Amino acid sequence: MSKSECNHARRSMLKKSITLAAGVGATAATGTTLATPCANKGDQAFDHVYDVIVVGSGFAGMSAAVQAAEEGQSVLVVDKMPVFGGNSTINGGAMAIAGSATQKEKGISDSVELMVQDMLESGRGMNDVEMLKLVCQDTASSAIWLEGFGVEWKPFVQHFGGHSVPRILQAKQSSGAGIIRPLIKAAEAKGVEMKKQTKLESFITDDSGRVIGFNALVNHRYERPSSGEAKRFGARKGVIMATGGFGQDIAFRQIHQPKMTDELTSTNHPGANADALKQMMLLGANPVHLDQIQLGPWTSPDEKGFGTASQFNTIGTFPKGIVVDPRSGQRYFNELADRRERATKIMQNRDEKGQPVYPIGFTNAEGASRAQTLEWGLKYDVIKKAENLDDLASLYDMPAEALKQQVADWNKYVRQGKDEQFGRPLASAIELNLGPWYAVRMWPKVHYCMGGVRVNAKSEVLALLTDQHIEGLYAAGEATGGIHGASRLGGCAIAEGVVTGRNAARNIANKNSVTLKQA
């Protein structure tokens, strides 16, 4: 099929989707050349044919691939990057689980209903409640499913901001690689084929509009958008899009959040752009909540990406330390509020010239005892050590007496079991009496996109104009929108990715196959 035939077949769809869903200027603003969806007129042969093709190899993609293989499907995973795993390999490996065995061992009372309530509160009520419940109901069973492939959790439960009880299990490596690597190993053992440096360029549909595959560039280099050899991939039952968010796509995110300039770097890998999202939109997919872009409040301006500060802060500073304004030595927000509230408070703290005033988060040796990144943070001078509070104040030019009074006040709140300043939950809090002290500067980074394509409870992508599902097109994980509403709670990305990836796989396995010709 010629390019002109293909363009003619989808011209009307292109006009409807881009104009209605993304704004006319979206494509021009990002500088991306979009390939239009292509109808498979003439029954043209495919270079490769499988039952199911998964695009993306993070938590959602690999969970979908393994589950689909368990359902008896032939499965291919493609990823445009030179390594598998996407952002998932570089995240903290923390999963929110309602009703885990470790919670029960520790005497922590939790429930699916409480997790739903916490996520609704954080999401400011904007959540897709049906999908939210679907995720929360399957976290405990999915954690056990992961353990079956060799995932190992730390033997304690963490309390992340916005959760009303401790419910976070973290891979013992403090990295998502502790989950991705076992999933890749399991996928390979089950016969899943995997191709990296393979970029989806445009979908291929049959005469009914059903997605039956896509055009791709193989041997692609993400830093050279047009590089690679063109190939056609066929999917007899459909395609699962697990392509993540667009945190690194500054032009696209500024269409929806103009203030998110290059002043804000990202925790995402360099290929985290909106290309795959745009291809779904060209098919008519309904994009929701694209302006809801999360900033991670636990990062530091003194290093790139997640770095060492993130794990130090999530396991040390926030639950077992305090955060202060260096000008006053005083706390100015609840360290266990949800991410949106904390990031907003940090971003708003500026000097008279509008420049950021980086807050100082710190804890003592007891509070930092489980921070696996402490040694590396000290080595690269991101985390600083002080023997006493006077030295700590001197390191960051803080008023020493005010700082010491703040610490004394904090210790009183812990003893009385009530934070009189900001109402922070104190279940994991400790008195800060003895040094040495460990501290970091903080500044948020773009971390997660709550927005994406709208899906139904079968993880089928829904069309903007009809609200009906697009045959053959599924999506899971961060590529979807609505589950988290306005703000995602920590640990809920892995929960969402694993649960919705498996959900998509189970449902696609039950679809009828189409007959495809292989070259």
Side-chain angles (χ1 to χ4, degrees):
M1 177 177 296
S2 70
K3 184 176 180 180
S4 60
E5 289 175 318
C6 203
N7 287 346
H8 176 74
R10 292 300 170 194
R11 187 169 296 126
S12 60
M13 185 177 291
L14 168 66
K15 290 178 179 177
K16 286 186 291 187
S17 302
I18 287 294
T19 302
L20 290 173
V24 176
T27 303
T30 60
T32 300
T33 300
L34 293 177
T36 56
C38 181
N40 196 41
K41 290 182 177 178
D43 195 22
Q44 189 170 335
F46 291 86
D47 297 295
H48 307 277
V49 175
Y50 301 83
D51 293 330
V52 177
I53 302 181
V54 180
V55 183
S57 61
F59 298 125
M62 291 313 306
S63 296
V66 173
Q67 185 69 52
E70 289 184 338
E71 303 289 335
Q73 310 303 304
S74 64
V75 184
L76 170 70
V77 176
V78 300
D79 196 302
K80 67 182 178 183
M81 300 303 284
V83 294
F84 293 118
N87 288 325
S88 298
T89 56
I90 55 176
N91 94 342
M95 180 173 177
I97 301 163
S100 70
T102 311
Q103 279 182 312
K104 294 172 184 173
E105 290 172 8
K106 305 298 181 184
I108 300 167
S109 177
D110 196 8
S111 67
V112 170
E113 292 74 21
L114 186 57
M115 184 172 175
V116 169
Q117 179 182 317
D118 289 347
M119 292 179 70
L120 278 171
E121 184 174 347
S122 175
R124 277 66 172 171
M126 293 170 57
N127 315 62
D128 181 329
V129 176
E130 184 178 29
M131 290 302 298
L132 173 58
K133 290 180 177 177
L134 184 149
V135 169
C136 294
Q137 285 168 354
D138 208 18
T139 57
S141 60
S142 287
I144 295 171
W145 182 75
L146 290 172
E147 292 166 11
F149 303 123
V151 173
E152 296 183 73
W153 310 108
K154 295 177 181 178
F156 52 86
V157 188
Q158 296 181 55
H159 193 167
F160 279 11
H163 292 276
S164 57
V165 297
R167 64 165 64 98
I168 303 298
L169 291 185
Q170 187 174 34
K172 71 174 187 179
Q173 298 86 349
S174 292
S175 166
I179 298 170
I180 287 295
R181 287 172 181 162
L183 282 173
I184 290 176
K185 186 177 180 180
E188 292 172 341
K190 295 177 185 298
V192 173
E193 291 190 35
M194 299 185 65
K195 296 180 183 294
K196 54 192 172 186
Q197 292 183 290
T198 301
K199 183 191 178 190
L200 182 152
E201 282 287 277
S202 62
F203 288 106
I204 300 172
T205 61
D206 64 14
D207 290 339
S208 71
R210 173 173 174 161
V211 173
I212 56 173
F214 53 81
N215 296 299
L217 293 173
V218 301
N219 299 318
H220 170 73
R221 295 179 61 180
Y222 75 94
E223 68 274 26
R224 295 169 53 194
S226 61
S227 63
E229 179 185 359
K231 294 289 184 182
R232 289 165 55 87
F233 290 82
R236 287 184 285 261
K237 292 199 172 183
V239 175
I240 299 175
M241 298 295 285
T243 44
F246 50 86
Q248 288 281 20
D249 197 330
I250 296 174
F252 190 79
R253 77 190 194 206
Q254 279 198 271
I255 293 170
H256 309 284
Q257 283 284 358
K259 293 184 178 179
M260 289 200 174
T261 67
D262 58 6
E263 178 189 49
L264 291 165
T265 59
S266 174
T267 61
N268 291 185
H269 70 76
N273 61 34
D275 287 0
L277 171 62
K278 291 173 185 174
Q279 289 302 325
M280 289 190 279
M281 291 161 66
L282 283 170
L283 272 182
N286 184 2
V288 295
H289 297 176
L290 296 187
D291 61 336
Q292 302 300 315
I293 302 171
Q294 183 171 77
L295 301 176
W298 14 251
T299 47
S300 173
D302 299 322
E303 58 185 347
K304 295 181 178 178
F306 270 104
T308 59
S310 299
Q311 201 259 346
F312 170 74
N313 284 326
T314 53
I315 202 169
T317 300
F318 285 138
K320 299 182 183 298
I322 59 175
V323 181
V324 300
D325 183 331
R327 297 171 297 186
S328 65
Q330 298 295 297
R331 298 169 67 210
Y332 65 102
F333 61 86
N334 171 6
E335 294 88 348
L336 284 183
D338 65 55
R339 290 174 170 179
R340 181 169 179 156
E341 182 175 333
R342 285 178 288 172
T344 299
K345 291 290 187 183
I346 294 172
M347 293 280 291
Q348 291 174 339
N349 203 38
R350 295 173 182 266
D351 64 18
E352 63 279 0
K353 296 180 180 178
Q355 297 302 306
V357 177
Y358 303 125
I360 308 301
F362 65 93
T363 185
N364 61 6
E366 179 185 356
S369 61
R370 288 173 168 172
Q372 290 166 294
T373 58
L374 177 61
E375 182 179 348
W376 286 96
L378 289 167
K379 178 178 179 179
Y380 292 109
D381 204 30
V382 176
I383 302 172
K384 295 182 184 297
K385 180 181 179 181
E387 294 300 325
N388 54 57
L389 289 175
D390 286 306
D391 289 346
L392 180 66
S394 178
L395 277 174
Y396 295 103
D397 196 24
M398 295 189 287
E401 294 307 315
L403 179 67
K404 287 188 280 189
Q405 183 60 53
Q406 174 63 87
V407 171
D409 291 344
W410 169 255
N411 289 338
K412 182 185 71 174
Y413 305 150
V414 175
R415 288 193 297 273
Q416 67 188 21
K418 182 180 180 182
D419 175 11
E420 295 179 358
Q421 284 181 292
F422 300 105
R424 168 178 151 185
L426 299 176
S428 302
I430 60 173
E431 285 192 64
L432 300 172
N433 291 314
L434 300 174
W437 304 89
Y438 299 95
V440 294
R441 301 198 307 167
M442 296 179 175
W443 186 247
K445 296 177 182 176
V446 174
H447 179 57
Y448 189 89
C449 298
M450 273 73 71
V453 294
R454 186 165 175 259
V455 296
N456 61 19
K458 294 182 178 179
S459 295
E460 296 170 310
V461 176
L462 298 176
L464 172 66
L465 292 181
T466 65
D467 205 33
Q468 300 299 307
H469 69 270
I470 299 172
E471 283 286 348
L473 186 63
Y474 296 72
E478 192 178 357
T480 68
I483 293 176
H484 304 288
S487 179
R488 177 176 69 77
L489 287 178
C492 292
I494 298 180
E496 174 200 22
V498 175
V499 173
T500 61
R502 298 180 70 199
N503 186 61
R506 291 191 188 105
N507 285 292
I508 203 170
N510 291 324
K511 295 293 288 188
N512 295 328
S513 293
V514 295
T515 300
L516 300 178
K517 184 188 300 182
Q518 185 162 357

